């Protein structure tokens, strides 16, 4: 929360607001939550009820002893909107804290995808070559198909999937983004 | 994440069971619940029995330690608990059954969420093995109420029950207050478990880290000292912060000579008789309050949230002012209106810090006492408009006149006012004047017709000797009128003062202004005879049709020791003025008199 956020950001109100054209930026939020029944529904319900943008959301328990999960949310909006999303998430009782991973420095971002490609002959070889360049590993092989495992930023995963499309892409499955800050310090 | 998956052994319950299981007395879930409620100091529960809460009712009856008010509809139970909470500052307690019991409570819970009223609502649920089978009177109470409570719980084991109750009270009352729901399957109510004392219960923090360091407080005081057109814009947060916060607000306003306006929810925090009082602001607020908001150079918002009913058109909202926002909820900051200086924390504590800083700074370098003379002169000219004025009548009862007379004739009494929602609510806010906090109970955020009658029930239960009046409309009052029966049963002599204009008045007013006077479905046809209705319930009925008889009948109503329905026949097509039309700015108010309907722009018409 800034002391001087007079940037006329879009508002939740139905009344018209004057707005310049405030910059929209993408951010990755990490919510550390108590892993209790319904916590994911609370977070998702809040986002949909308030009409926030959401590009991906991943969740898993990260601290078994304390029963804490980390929910990673990729969203976008003006600076004011993002601080509003953060504040709204922090109102939820099981949400212990919300970190804007992208706030201070570039965060490390990774996504994992499983990509199934069907084909034979030259097409199959080309798929193998592209996979090699992307350092994607084949984890299931038949005479006419591969399942590749690829990790990287969303851009890299998108690029890999786009390249596989003409080479017989039949299905893909993605984890959504995980993110963590660079450096020694924990958030 | 299924609501009833076996509990990922939470740290909370681990600690509790370790602390309590050794040699602890085993009791049924129903008894554990009541133990916890008793330890929390609960005196009264508003509720309605049903299959899934029978073990709790059985235990309640056997013990006789907590009073139970049986309402006639679960919505009434929640509003009654709201009235109890709002007039005492203590949390209100609701107990209802599963399925329809829970869904009927939803409106009340949403109302409490929007107006930040502390409630603990206990719902029964079908037994654990039946959950998810579409059992009789089963509904997904946790799912349904997730977005209309501050927090909710499904209790999956009796051992966990007491700890959950204690945390629920903590969450309902700390930080920004709100409703918390606890869903208890019927077999958990029978199951044996051990008790967790309040002191041993884990309570997660619900209060945001305060942002009110000395430097920030000093900055607010500096801005106040250098302002030439300051205004305090206060809200329900000041009431929620307790009576001391209202006292401190008064002291700070008097010390700084700053004018004070308030939202609908904040009425009573600052005395209406004070010369610094501008009246309520917003859509039907006073001319002076709204113009002061528009023209000020410093706006200090304390415990309010820049609601659209307050701000009107946002791009023309107080364009020349610096804005300070004092609130306990960080998500309220910059939500609708960007502010220059947020201060996060309890309104009472922040006001006390501001007062102290103001006083210590005054010692060293006193402000020029004349610094606000020009501002007060401007305010005086706006006051000259007398914006709450209306055309008087000798032959017909004007609704504003009725509220004025009610105010004058109840002056010597210990009076609490509740309202329904609509025109009568605005006339009550404009013409009934409050000197103290916690005297005014109204549905502000959600705008729930049917709130006032059951809320009056809860207020009267909390203040048995007080005069509790629900200022109602003929349409609203019928939404929860069944609670007259509860009023009779428990000897709660609430007075329902109905401004009867035979219309859904506010709907009619908007149709007049926005829809070329096509009054679609807003005429209250087939109204009951309210006098006979009162008598049918066992109460007393009065009807006033002429201004000459109004005073005597109001006095008779006040003197009655029974619940009363007062049918006050008022002029039918009176509108609430002044009014900021939809989509207009604060300095663009319609005053009473000739209004053609062309004042509202096409863009404004789509707004609610």
């Amino acid at each position: 929360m800034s002391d001087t956020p007079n940037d006329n950001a879009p508002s939740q109100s139905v009344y018209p607001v004057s707005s310049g054209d405030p910059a929209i930026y993408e951010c990755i939020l990490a919510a550390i939550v108590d892993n209790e029944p319904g916590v994911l529904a609370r977070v998702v319900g809040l986002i949909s009820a308030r009409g926030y943008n959401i590009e991906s959301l991943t969740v898993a328990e990260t601290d078994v002893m304390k029963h804490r999960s980390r929910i990673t949310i990729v969203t976008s909006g003006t600076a004011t909107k993002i601080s509003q999303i953060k504040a709204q998430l922090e109102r939820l009782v099981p949400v212990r804290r919300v970190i804007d991973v992208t706030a201070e420095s570039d965060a490390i971002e990774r996504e994992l995808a499983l990509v199934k490609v069907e084909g034979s002959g030259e097409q199959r070889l080309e798929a193998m070559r592209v996979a090699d360049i992307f350092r994607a590993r084949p984890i299931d092989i038949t005479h006419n198909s591969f399942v590749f495992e690829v990790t990287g930023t969303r851009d890299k995963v998108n690029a890999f999937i786009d390249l596989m499309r003409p080479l017989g892409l039949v299905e893909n499955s993605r984890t959504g983004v995980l993110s963590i800050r660079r450096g020694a310090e924990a958030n | 994440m299924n609501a009833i998956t076996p509990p990922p052994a939470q740290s909370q319950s681990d600690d509790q069971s370790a602390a309590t299981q050794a040699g602890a007395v085993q009791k049924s879930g129903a008894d554990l619940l009541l133990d916890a409620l008793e330890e929390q100091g609960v005196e009264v529960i508003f509720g309605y029995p049903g299959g899934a809460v029978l073990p709790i009712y059985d235990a309640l009856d056997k013990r006789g330690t907590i009073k139970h008010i049986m309402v006639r509809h679960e919505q009434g139970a929640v509003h009654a608990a709201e009235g109890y909470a709002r007039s005492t500052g203590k949390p209100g307690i609701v107990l209802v059954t599963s399925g329809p019991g829970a869904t009927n409570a939803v409106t009340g819970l949403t109302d409490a969420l929007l107006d930040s009223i502390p409630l603990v609502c206990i719902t029964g649920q079908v037994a654990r093995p039946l959950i998810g089978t579409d059992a009789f009177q089963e509904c997904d109470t946790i799912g349904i109420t997730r977005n209309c409570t501050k927090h909710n719980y499904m209790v999956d084991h009796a051992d966990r029950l007491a700890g959950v109750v204690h945390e629920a009270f903590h969450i309902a009352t700390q930080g920004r207050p709100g409703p918390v729901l606890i869903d208890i399957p019927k077999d958990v109510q029978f199951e044996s478990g051990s008790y967790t004392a309040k002191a041993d219960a884990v309570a997660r923090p619900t209060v945001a880290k305060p942002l009110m360091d000395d430097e920030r407080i000093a900055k607010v005081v500096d801005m106040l000292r250098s302002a030439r057109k300051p205004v305090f814009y206060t809200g329900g947060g000041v009431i929620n912060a307790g009576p001391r916060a209202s006292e401190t607000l008064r002291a700070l306003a008097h010390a700084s000579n700053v004018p004070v306006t308030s939202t609908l929810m904040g009425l009573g925090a600052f005395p209406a008789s004070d010369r610094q009082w501008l009246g309520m602001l917003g859509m039907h607020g006073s001319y002076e309050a709204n113009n002061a908001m528009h023209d000020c150079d410093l706006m200090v918002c304390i415990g309010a949230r820049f609601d659209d009913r307050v701000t009107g058109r946002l791009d023309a909202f107080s364009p020349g002012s610096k804005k300070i926002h004092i609130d306990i909820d960080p998500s309220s900051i910059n939500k609708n209106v960007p502010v220059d200086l947020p201060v996060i924390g309890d309104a009472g504590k922040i006001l006390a810090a501001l007062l102290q800083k103001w006083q210590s700074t005054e010692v060293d370098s006193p402000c020029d006492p004349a610094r606000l003379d020009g501002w007060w002169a401007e305010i005086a000219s706006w006051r000259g408009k007398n914006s709450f004025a209306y055309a008087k009548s000798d032959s017909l009862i004007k609704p504003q006149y009725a509220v004025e007379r009610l105010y004058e004739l109840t002056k010597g009494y210990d009076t609490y006012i509740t309202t329904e929602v609509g025109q009568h609510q605005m006339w009550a806010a404009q013409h009934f004047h409050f000197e103290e906090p916690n005297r005014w109970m109204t549905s502000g955020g959600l705008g729930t017709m049917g709130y006032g009658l059951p809320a009056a029930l809860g207020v009267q239960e909390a203040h048995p000797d007080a005069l509790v009046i629900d200022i109602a409309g003929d349409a609203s009052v019928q939404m929860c009128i069944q609670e007259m029966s509860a009023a009779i049963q428990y000897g709660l002599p609430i007075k329902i003062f109905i401004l009867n204009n035979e219309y859904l008045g506010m709907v009619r007013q908007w149709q007049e202004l926005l829809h070329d006077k096509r009054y679609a479905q807003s005429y209250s046809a087939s109204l009951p005879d309210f006098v006979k209705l009162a008598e049918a319930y066992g109460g007393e009925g009065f009807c006033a049709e002429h201004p000459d008889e109004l005073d005597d009948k109001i006095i008779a109503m006040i003197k009655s020791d029974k619940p009363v329905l007062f049918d006050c026949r008022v002029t039918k097509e009176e509108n609430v003025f002044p009014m900021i039309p939809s989509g207009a700015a604060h300095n663009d108010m319609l005053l009473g008199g000739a209004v053609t309907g062309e004042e509202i722009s096409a863009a404004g018409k789509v707004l609610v």
Side-chain angles (χ1 to χ4, degrees), chain B residues 282-283 285-287 290-291 578-581 585-591:
Chain B
M283 184 173 271
S286 76
Y287 190 75
N290 285 326
N291 276 284
M579 178 178 185
I580 301 176
H586 271 173
N587 60 347
D588 194 13
M589 293 194 84
L590 305 179
L591 297 172

Side-chain angles (χ1 to χ4, degrees), chain B residues 191-351:
Chain B
E191 186 176 66
S192 289
S194 53
Y195 186 68
T196 305
K198 185 177 167 186
D200 299 329
V202 173
R204 285 171 285 186
T206 67
V207 185
K209 220 162 65 187
L211 198 62
M212 55 169 289
D213 46 279
D214 292 348
E215 201 182 324
R216 207 168 276 261
I217 295 292
K219 201 167 168 191
V220 175
V221 170
D222 271 356
M223 288 165 83
L224 267 174
R225 285 167 58 86
S226 57
R228 290 298 170 266
K229 297 176 167 193
V231 64
F232 284 137
Y233 149 42
T234 68
V238 180
I239 313 263
N240 276 341
R244 286 283 296 278
S246 296
E247 282 170 31
T248 318
L249 169 68
R250 293 161 191 216
L252 180 65
H254 291 150
S256 59
N257 195 27
V258 172
V260 182
T261 179
S262 157
T263 66
L264 182 70
M265 292 305 294
L267 295 178
F270 196 77
S273 59
D274 196 288
R275 63 162 205 90
Q276 282 170 251
W277 174 242
L278 300 180
M280 178 177 76
L281 82 167
M283 184 173 271
H284 294 296
S286 76
Y287 190 75
E288 52 271 32
N290 285 326
N291 276 284
M293 287 287 280
H294 188 270
D295 288 359
C296 65
D297 65 358
L298 176 68
M299 178 186 298
V300 185
C301 169
I302 309 166
R305 59 185 177 89
F306 296 93
D307 175 71
D308 56 59
R309 280 295 178 278
V310 158
T311 60
R313 187 173 149 187
L314 278 172
D315 60 0
F317 176 70
S318 194
S321 64
K322 289 273 182 198
K323 297 174 186 75
I324 296 170
H325 191 177
I326 297 170
D327 206 290
I328 202 161
D329 178 2
S331 75
S332 284
I333 310 289
N334 296 330
K335 184 173 66 180
N336 295 334
V337 171
V339 296
D340 300 279
L341 181 66
V343 190
I344 310 285
D346 175 74
K349 287 184 188 150
I350 294 171
L351 282 165

Side-chain angles (χ1 to χ4, degrees), chain B residues 3 44 150 160 210 241 315 345 349 356 364 415 424 428 443 445 550 596:
Chain B
V44 60
K150 187 174 172 190
R160 208 185 283 275
D315 60 0
K349 287 184 188 150
Q356 198 188 17
D364 300 336
T415 309
H424 67 273
S443 171
L550 186 59
T596 62

Side-chain angles (χ1 to χ4, degrees), chain A residues 38-52 54 57 73 88-89 92, chain B residues 143 146-148:
Chain A
V39 63
L40 183 58
R42 269 179 227 288
V43 168
V44 172
L46 183 147
I47 288 167
S48 75
R50 293 191 182 266
Y52 300 143
I54 181 161
L57 184 147
I73 300 164
Q88 291 290 352
L89 286 170
L92 299 176
Chain B
R146 193 173 284 130
N147 285 353
C148 65

Side-chain angles (χ1 to χ4, degrees), chain B residues 371-449:
Chain B
R371 76 194 196 288
L372 302 183
D373 284 358
W375 183 225
W376 279 108
E378 266 189 90
I379 289 169
S381 74
W382 293 322
R383 277 179 171 156
K385 289 271 188 185
N386 196 12
S387 57
F388 292 158
Y390 59 92
K392 307 251 189 282
S393 165
D394 289 337
S395 54
L396 298 167
I397 303 177
K398 290 282 190 162
Q400 302 94 327
Y401 175 76
V403 176
E404 268 178 17
R405 293 314 302 157
L406 188 67
Y407 170 66
E408 291 298 332
L409 295 169
T410 55
K411 258 184 176 171
Y413 294 84
D414 182 19
T415 309
Y416 292 80
I417 299 292
T418 71
T419 74
E420 309 290 337
V421 169
Q423 285 186 318
H424 67 273
Q425 179 189 28
M426 293 298 111
W427 284 317
Q430 291 176 343
H431 297 281
F432 205 101
H433 308 292
F434 297 90
E435 300 296 311
E436 297 298 329
N438 305 98
R439 297 284 170 157
W440 164 249
M441 272 60 57
T442 195
S443 171
L446 192 65
T448 310
M449 293 169 74

Side-chain angles (χ1 to χ4, degrees), chain B residues 84-265:
Chain B
Y84 178 89
R86 191 77 178 155
S87 67
T88 60
K90 295 188 270 188
I93 315 300
V94 178
L95 172 58
V96 298
T97 193
S98 63
T103 56
N104 278 345
V106 163
T107 301
L109 293 171
T110 314
D111 191 88
L113 183 71
L114 277 170
D115 285 345
S116 306
I117 311 292
L119 297 184
V120 174
C121 176
I122 293 143
T123 53
Q125 182 56 275
V126 300
R128 283 167 295 181
L130 292 173
I131 290 177
T133 65
D134 298 329
F136 177 64
Q137 292 196 330
E138 183 191 357
C139 73
D140 175 14
T141 303
I142 293 298
I144 290 169
T145 60
R146 193 173 284 130
N147 285 353
C148 65
T149 53
K150 187 174 172 190
H151 192 57
N152 62 14
Y153 302 87
M154 159 80 76
V155 182
D156 46 26
H157 194 277
D159 273 334
R160 208 185 283 275
L161 183 48
V164 162
V165 172
H166 295 310
E167 193 185 56
F169 274 81
H170 169 79
I171 290 170
T173 53
Q174 300 303 301
R176 182 174 175 178
V180 177
L181 181 139
I182 307 172
D183 201 28
I184 311 177
K186 191 172 182 181
D187 55 340
V188 172
Q189 298 166 30
F190 282 118
E191 186 176 66
S192 289
S194 53
Y195 186 68
T196 305
K198 185 177 167 186
D200 299 329
V202 173
R204 285 171 285 186
T206 67
V207 185
K209 220 162 65 187
L211 198 62
M212 55 169 289
D213 46 279
D214 292 348
E215 201 182 324
R216 207 168 276 261
I217 295 292
K219 201 167 168 191
V220 175
V221 170
D222 271 356
M223 288 165 83
L224 267 174
R225 285 167 58 86
S226 57
R228 290 298 170 266
K229 297 176 167 193
V231 64
F232 284 137
Y233 149 42
T234 68
V238 180
I239 313 263
N240 276 341
R244 286 283 296 278
S246 296
E247 282 170 31
T248 318
L249 169 68
R250 293 161 191 216
L252 180 65
H254 291 150
S256 59
N257 195 27
V258 172
V260 182
T261 179
S262 157
T263 66
L264 182 70
M265 292 305 294

